[in-house]
């Protein structure tokens, strides 16, 4: 692993920046699908209250990495440490680890047979044992926070893409996750809606939420990220503060990718 | 934390404007077209029905057929007995349907269990479905209806209606489990993934996320199987249970007139009509909601 794959030199050891244990530490993570290797040794660290952003070409494995971190895929090699505990170990309590994370999927994945409010209140109620009334109350607050209180009783098929996306965010926040995973939450939205959703994420970041996210929105990545990781060839090819990775990348491939994305945005 | 822009106002555009002359004229045209189509359909149906009635009533054997199959007096006389028999059919139908839904759902869920631990369970469920889907209902009825009492075991029921119900449950649950399984598999894996990411257990995600969606999708085929069952409850008569079919047979043996069978047939049809309409309504609703998922 090249040293540039890590946010800072010492991060591969257990303590993260500031000497405390990072919320998430991924070490040498490998994932194959059939014969193809999608992740070929990923290293990254997300410290508390930090926002780490994954960028990379389509198919570079951003979604796969997020699913692996959320223990939705079995990893083939390497470790995933959540608050210093290896949760990728088959002997570890995966369900307990999953309860401390929440993911917003690229395709929303709302439950179509439940209203927005029911989607949001489900996990607090049945997983976290929150009394129904309190769960509903919490759900209402969250829907209000994402600007959807009037749609609490609507089914997902009656909501626009951006509205569904925001319900998905509310659903993820309802479990009060230690680590929030966001997978290209704006890729299916038109520019006007992108702004709304990104605003919510910005507010979460300001509020101290620990976030690992994948995005194609370079401007947004620059705004909210503490660290940007460029995925290429199944590895973190380059990572560091957004001004550096997006503004003045060390690696030629990063430079090409950023230039291409920016060009696409402008055209 | 600030609230982001509400877009309720932006997306909820209402049309409170009065329709223009153009819209009114087009609506009138559409209505006249609809009236015309209805008229054509009604007239052609009537013509066809009249032709059929004329053909049958003018056939050389019609007087004989009318006397043996459509005799009003015999029909009236046999009605109470046939109705009493039908009451047994209805009870068997209800009991069997409940058993079929429970067993069918159980089998379907067992077949979805993954992992080598559950291999024996899965294999048993598959074997069960293969067996009872393959065996003709009438043979299953004979084997269970006459075979089981023949064992003379203590505590095992020997009542023909009970054994008939059990057989219907065994055979139909094999079909119904396949319907449920198709429904479960039609729910996209991303739904299960979403449930798991929220920390739901396998059972919780089955009960709260997968099954509600699966059952909704398979309601029309389930009702279809229910209609088929409504007729097949008449087969318990082969075991000697005095249901509508058996009652009609007894009447026929007395009078040498087949009208009681026609009475029984009409009653079965009447029984099936509401279910058919419900199935249609549900299919239509499912089709309307198609875009949803
Ligand atoms: N379930 C799967 N089975 C087989 N191959 C898969 C599966 N999921 C992903 N892949 C493959 O893994 C690679 C990485 O996919 P992934 O979805 O992680 O990319 P991504 O970086 O999220 O892309 P995008 O920016 O388009 O969302 C792709 O080549 C994809 O075909
Ligand atoms: Mg992706």
């Amino acid at each position: 692993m090249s040293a540039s794959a890590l946010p800072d030199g010492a991060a591969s050891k257990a303590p993260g920046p500031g000497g405390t244990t990072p919320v998430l530490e991924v070490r040498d993570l490998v994932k194959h699908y059939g014969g193809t290797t999608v992740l070929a040794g990923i290293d990254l660290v997300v410290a508390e209250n930090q926002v780490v952003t994954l960028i990379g070409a389509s198919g570079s494995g951003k979604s796969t990495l997020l699913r692996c971190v959320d223990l939705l895929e079995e990893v083939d090699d390497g470790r995933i440490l959540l608050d210093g505990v290896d949760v990728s170990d088959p002997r570890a309590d995966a369900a307990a680890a999953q309860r401390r994370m929440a993911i917003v999927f690229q395709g929303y994945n709302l439950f179509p047979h439940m209203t927005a409010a029911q989607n949001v209140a489900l996990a607090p109620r049945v997983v976290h044992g929150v009394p129904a009334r309190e769960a509903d109350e919490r759900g209402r607050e969250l829907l209000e926070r994402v600007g959807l209180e009037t749609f609490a009783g609507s089914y997902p098929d009656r909501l626009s893409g951006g509205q569904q996306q925001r319900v998905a965010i509310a659903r993820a926040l309802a479990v009060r996750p230690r680590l929030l995973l966001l997978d290209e939450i704006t890729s299916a939205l038109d520019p006007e809606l992108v702004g709304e959703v990104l605003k919510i994420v910005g507010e979460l970041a300001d509020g101290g939420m620990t976030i690992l996210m994948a995005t194609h929105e370079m401007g947004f990545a620059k705004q909210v990220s503490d660290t940007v990781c460029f995925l290429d060839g199944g590895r973190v090819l380059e990572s560091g503060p957004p001004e550096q990775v997006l503004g003045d990348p060390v690696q030629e491939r990063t430079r090409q990718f950023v230039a291409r994305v920016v060009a696409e945005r402008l055209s | 934390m600030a609230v982001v822009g509400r877009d309720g106002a932006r997306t909820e555009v209402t049309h409170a404007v009065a329709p223009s002359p153009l819209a009114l004229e087009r609506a009138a045209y559409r209505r006249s077209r609809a009236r015309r189509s209805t008229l054509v359909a009604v007239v052609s149906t009537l013509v066809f029905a009249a032709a059929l009635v004329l053909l049958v009533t003018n056939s050389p054997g019609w007087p004989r057929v009318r006397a043996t199959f459509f005799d009003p007096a015999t029909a009236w006389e046999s009605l109470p007995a046939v109705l009493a028999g039908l009451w047994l059919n209805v009870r068997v139908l209800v009991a069997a349907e409940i058993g079929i839904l429970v067993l069918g759902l159980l089998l379907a869920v067992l077949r979805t269990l993954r992992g080598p631990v559950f291999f024996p369970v899965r294999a048993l469920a598959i074997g069960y479905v293969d067996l009872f889907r393959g065996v003709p209902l009438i043979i299953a009825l004979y084997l269970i209806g006459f075979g089981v009492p023949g064992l003379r075991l203590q505590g095992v029921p020997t009542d023909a209606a009970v054994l008939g119900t059990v057989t219907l449950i065994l055979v139909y649950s094999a079909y119904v489990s396949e319907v449920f399984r198709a429904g479960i598999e039609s729910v996209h894996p991303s739904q299960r993934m979403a449930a798991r990411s929220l920390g739901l257990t396998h059972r919780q995600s089955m009960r709260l996320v997968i099954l509600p969606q699966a059952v909704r999708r398979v309601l029309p085929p389930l009702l279809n199987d229910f209609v088929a069952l409504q007729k097949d409850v008449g087969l318990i008569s082969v075991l000697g249970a005095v249901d509508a079919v058996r009652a009609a047979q007894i009447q026929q043996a007395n009078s040498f007139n087949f009208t009681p069978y026609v009475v029984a047939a009409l009653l079965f049809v009447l029984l099936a009509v509401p279910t058919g309409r419900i199935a249609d309504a549900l299919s239509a609703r499912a089709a309307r909601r198609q875009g949803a998922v």
Side-chain angles (χ1 to χ4, degrees), chain A residues 183-194:
Chain A
D183 192 359
E184 281 183 44
I185 53 169
T186 57
S187 63
L189 309 180
D190 64 45
E192 187 190 353
L193 294 171
V194 168

Side-chain angles (χ1 to χ4, degrees), chain A residues 70 110-111 113 126 149 166, chain B residues 6-7 191 197 204 208:
Chain A
D70 202 26
L110 292 178
F111 303 128
H113 61 298
V126 307
E149 64 275 27
R166 282 181 280 158
Chain B
R6 326 276 160 101
D7 52 1
Q191 287 287 309
S197 79
Q204 286 173 328
L208 300 166

Side-chain angles (χ1 to χ4, degrees), chain A residues 31-34 36-39 55-67 73 106 183-184 187 214-216 231, chain B residues 193:
Chain A
K31 175 71 189 169
H32 312 285
Y33 280 121
T36 56
T37 302
V38 178
L39 305 178
I55 59 168
S58 187
S60 58
K62 304 181 293 295
S63 300
T64 306
L65 175 56
L66 289 171
R67 285 199 304 270
E73 304 262 10
Q106 202 166 346
D183 192 359
E184 281 183 44
S187 63
T215 189
H216 280 300
L231 258 63
Chain B
M193 197 184 265

